[in-house]
Amino acid sequence: REKDDKYKPWMPKFLMAKEEKDQRKSSGDVERNIFKVKKSSAEKSNKMGKEEKFFRETFMYDKEINVISTATAECSVPSQRRVDLPVTAGEQLDVIDVTEGSAVICRNSEGRYGYVLVEHLNYR
């Protein structure tokens, strides 16, 4: 750096000289990404759709998927079967449907569905 730059007074961009503003790109030249979907969110929604399709086929679930309540997993439980949902302690789960037994159908934050025992859940 030169010594002149060090002591140059700071000015906000809206108070810059007109010539310096003209050198910058105008707002019309800059491409705006308001309506573009981010690639990661598009991939995530696609994965969620696949998980929902798999859930409907496996569980033969033809009702509309509505979240009944939200629960927190009290302990980590690995899945024993393909239809069980593996949970970790403190994970937030959406309860989708209540079954006749001691299990409920839940959805995790990744969009996976499966059975979770009521004993492992803490309702608020």
Side-chain angles (χ1 to χ4, degrees), residues 31-38:
E31 184 179 334
R32 298 184 67 174
N33 295 328
I34 295 174
F35 298 108
K36 288 187 178 180
V37 177
K38 290 184 179 178

Side-chain angles (χ1 to χ4, degrees), residues 57-123:
E57 290 172 356
T58 306
F59 290 79
M60 291 179 270
Y61 197 84
D62 56 351
K63 297 185 267 182
E64 186 177 345
I65 297 175
N66 292 324
V67 177
I68 298 170
S69 66
T70 306
T72 307
E74 289 182 339
C75 58
S76 297
V77 181
S79 62
Q80 302 295 328
R81 305 173 293 170
R82 178 79 172 131
V83 293
D84 292 337
L85 181 65
V87 294
T88 56
E91 184 178 11
Q92 293 284 335
L93 300 171
D94 296 330
V95 178
I96 304 298
D97 201 358
V98 180
T99 60
E100 292 179 9
S102 63
V104 291
I105 298 174
C106 293
R107 176 178 62 198
N108 65 6
S109 59
E110 296 172 359
R112 291 192 59 200
Y113 295 85
Y115 289 115
V116 179
L117 293 176
V118 177
E119 300 98 49
H120 301 304
L121 298 177
N122 181 17
Y123 294 92

Side-chain angles (χ1 to χ4, degrees), residues 40-51:
S40 61
S41 64
E43 290 172 358
K44 189 174 183 180
S45 64
N46 189 19
K47 184 180 178 185
M48 292 271 233
K50 287 180 182 178
E51 289 289 342

